[in-house]
Amino acid sequence: MNKMMRLAVIFIALGLAAAQLTPEEQARLDELVKQNDELAQLLEKAGTSTPKLKELMDLDAKSQATLRTEKDNIVTRVKATADIRSERLERQTVSLFDVNDRVESLEKTVDPNALSSSIKDAMETAFAENTVLLGISAEQTALSKTLDTDVKAIKADTDMLTSDLNALKTSVAKDIKDISDDLEEFKDTMTKKFEADTAKIKKDTEDLIKKLLPDSTKNVLASLSNTYLGDPKIPVYRVAWFQTYNNGPVGWFDQNRNRGFGGVSPHDWTDGNARADRIGTDVKYLQSLFTRTRTASSYGAQICADNNMMYSSTTGIMCGALFRIKNTKSTAVQWRVNWVFTAYSGWSERASVAMNKVNQYSSGCSGSCSTTINLNLPPSKTSTIIFMTSTSGAGWGYAGIYLRASINMIVDDSLKLPDGLEYVDDLDGLTGTWN
């Protein structure tokens, strides 16, 4: 048997035993077949093929290509007739210094100025040869000049308008100031004229009355002119004087009702720190509380100055003075008042001043105190002003009975009213509120 026949026999034997091989053996067989693919094809061409050999060749033709790695190698199995192409990638390393050297070399080779000049020449040549671009460029240049001219004209117009507007503002501001000054001057002139006319009418009326009235009536009017009824600068005021508690069968006066005590309960006056501004809003409370009319000189008024023996701290003496003062001017006028008072805050009593039902001052002390109060009377209005005091702290005491003082005084020419203010005695006919 020649050599070729022996190889055929080997392949036939391998084919017969393939069905009985283990997976490892089958892998080894595949490797041997791969190594002898060309030999098998030569056997087939020589006409030495057998059925088993043919079956082996058919299986090989149907088999799929495989690829696997083995350590650092790649192992592949393909059909006998398949082409195999392999490519190897190699990684190259480049030094940063090499790159810098190449860049420097390139910079030396290429002259930036020459390159810029070449680009410029090329662009100018392209523009010169392109009539469309030249036309667009010319139109753009003309449009730019036109726009520049228009912008300058608009700016000039805007500057002119701004200047005119500023001038108009200045003119309007001056006109407004002139009108305001003229109105203020007119107001002052008319006020003085009104005051002069009023004084003249008053004098003419008085002269006429003197001519028409009999002598007896003239004498009466002459007498009245020297009182607060004829002279609004003579101080006239109303007084309230009361206690609040009886340490016997009465207790709190009027069962502590507020109706006879200015809308404030007796308890609140001497045990609750009540102030003058808490007096009821309706003028009926003023009319029922301030029932005594008194006058004084401009030097001052001693409204209350008493000593009283009192049992316990519950009661106290409340003393109040009510003034009605008219401001004949169109602006507020200040009235400065020096005031002496008593009110023992240790037993919840307060001295206070209210104007038009608004608190202006409130305090307390154990003995006699004094202060100065500035009251700004509103224009063109008759204001109601109340000065309210209580009683001092206890002095001598025996068996629950204490000696206490009650002081309410306006002193040091404080009743001399500033110009524009007048005393008014109109409480009896008032209606409405006193705020």
Side-chain angles (χ1 to χ4, degrees):
M1 183 181 296
N2 59 29
K3 184 177 180 181
M4 185 174 295
M5 291 300 293
R6 284 199 302 270
L7 288 173
V9 171
I10 293 171
F11 276 95
I12 293 169
L14 291 172
L16 293 173
Q20 300 176 1
L21 296 178
T22 64
E24 292 78 7
E25 293 171 336
Q26 180 65 43
R28 178 58 180 164
L29 176 61
D30 291 340
E31 184 177 356
L32 292 174
V33 171
K34 180 185 73 172
Q35 295 173 356
N36 294 281
D37 276 342
E38 185 178 355
L39 179 58
Q41 292 176 17
L42 291 173
L43 288 173
E44 185 177 8
K45 287 180 179 181
T48 56
S49 177
T50 65
K52 289 297 183 181
L53 180 59
K54 187 177 187 305
E55 181 182 358
L56 181 62
M57 294 299 291
D58 292 339
L59 290 173
D60 180 65
K62 295 178 179 179
S63 63
Q64 299 294 321
T66 60
L67 179 69
R68 71 176 186 274
T69 58
E70 188 176 280
K71 295 185 179 180
D72 293 334
N73 300 316
I74 297 175
V75 179
T76 182
R77 179 180 184 280
V78 299
K79 296 183 291 185
T81 58
D83 293 331
I84 298 177
R85 185 179 67 183
S86 65
E87 295 180 0
R88 182 187 300 273
L89 299 179
E90 295 183 0
R91 182 177 60 185
Q92 294 183 352
T93 59
V94 180
S95 169
L96 181 61
F97 297 103
D98 293 340
V99 174
N100 289 335
D101 291 340
R102 294 179 183 178
V103 171
E104 290 177 359
S105 176
L106 182 61
E107 288 178 345
K108 292 177 180 177
T109 303
V110 180
D111 182 1
N113 294 328
L115 179 61
S116 175
S117 177
S118 297
I119 294 173
K120 180 181 178 183
D121 292 342
M123 291 182 65
E124 289 178 351
T125 300
F127 269 100
E129 294 176 353
N130 194 321
T131 57
V132 176
L133 289 177
L134 287 175
I136 293 174
S137 177
E139 290 178 0
Q140 182 180 5
T141 301
L143 179 60
S144 177
K145 291 180 179 179
T146 302
L147 288 175
D148 185 59
T149 302
D150 292 344
V151 168
K152 289 180 179 179
I154 291 172
K155 185 177 184 303
D157 292 342
T158 303
D159 292 341
M160 183 179 297
L161 287 174
T162 302
S163 177
D164 293 344
L165 181 60
N166 291 334
L168 181 60
K169 283 183 178 179
T170 302
S171 176
V172 170
K174 183 178 182 303
D175 291 343
I176 291 175
K177 184 178 184 304
D178 292 343
I179 292 172
S180 177
D181 293 343
D182 291 343
L183 288 175
E184 191 65 28
E185 184 179 354
F186 177 75
K187 175 184 173 183
D188 292 341
T189 301
M190 293 305 296
T191 300
K192 291 177 182 179
K193 186 175 184 304
F194 175 77
E195 291 175 351
D197 290 346
T198 302
K200 184 177 184 305
I201 292 172
K202 180 180 179 182
K203 184 178 183 305
D204 292 344
T205 302
E206 290 174 350
D207 292 343
L208 179 61
I209 291 174
K210 289 178 181 179
K211 291 180 181 179
L212 297 176
L213 292 177
D215 291 339
S216 59
T217 303
K218 293 178 183 179
N219 293 333
V220 171
L221 292 176
S223 299
L224 291 177
S225 64
N226 296 322
T227 68
Y228 70 90
L229 295 174
D231 186 353
K233 290 295 185 179
I234 295 177
V236 57
Y237 59 97
R238 299 295 183 97
V239 174
W241 191 99
F242 59 93
Q243 294 193 43
T244 60
Y245 183 79
N246 170 257
N247 201 57
V250 176
W252 292 110
F253 290 176
D254 195 19
Q255 299 181 24
N256 205 36
R257 297 185 180 94
N258 65 11
R259 58 189 178 185
F261 300 90
V264 180
S265 69
H267 166 274
D268 287 353
W269 279 122
T270 57
D271 261 2
N273 292 306
R275 302 189 311 243
D277 62 297
R278 286 186 52 189
I279 294 175
T281 303
D282 196 299
V283 295
K284 67 183 181 182
Y285 292 109
L286 303 179
Q287 293 164 339
S288 64
L289 184 64
F290 295 89
T291 56
R292 308 174 189 181
T293 301
R294 291 184 184 176
T295 60
S297 74
S298 59
Y299 178 66
Q302 180 265 88
I303 301 162
C304 294
D306 301 303
N307 276 319
N308 287 274
M309 301 295 293
M310 299 180 186
Y311 186 83
S312 85
S313 64
T314 307
T315 192
I317 295 176
M318 301 302 301
C319 178
L322 182 152
F323 292 85
R324 292 274 294 165
I325 299 179
K326 181 180 180 180
N327 182 359
T328 61
K329 291 190 174 182
S330 57
T331 58
V333 177
Q334 187 178 89
W335 179 30
R336 185 179 177 89
V337 181
N338 295 315
W339 188 40
V340 181
F341 62 89
T342 53
Y344 185 41
S345 57
W347 284 349
S348 300
E349 298 173 6
R350 307 294 292 179
S352 60
V353 179
M355 180 171 68
N356 299 329
K357 209 176 181 339
V358 176
N359 181 61
Q360 304 294 316
Y361 179 83
S362 176
S363 183
C365 63
S366 59
S368 175
C369 304
S370 61
T371 189
T372 299
I373 304 169
N374 294 314
L375 301 171
N376 294 310
L377 279 73
S380 306
K381 178 178 179 177
T382 301
S383 296
T384 302
I385 304 167
I386 299 174
F387 297 83
M388 205 77 187
T389 65
S390 183
T391 323
S392 69
W396 173 87
Y398 176 76
I401 300 176
Y402 302 95
L403 180 63
R404 303 181 67 190
S406 173
I407 301 174
N408 189 346
M409 299 170 61
I410 296 176
V411 298
D412 299 335
D413 291 312
S414 294
L415 293 181
K416 183 179 180 180
L417 294 179
D419 290 341
L421 300 184
E422 298 177 351
Y423 291 102
V424 178
D425 183 35
D426 61 352
L427 183 62
D428 294 335
L430 282 184
T431 59
T433 64
W434 66 284
N435 52 8

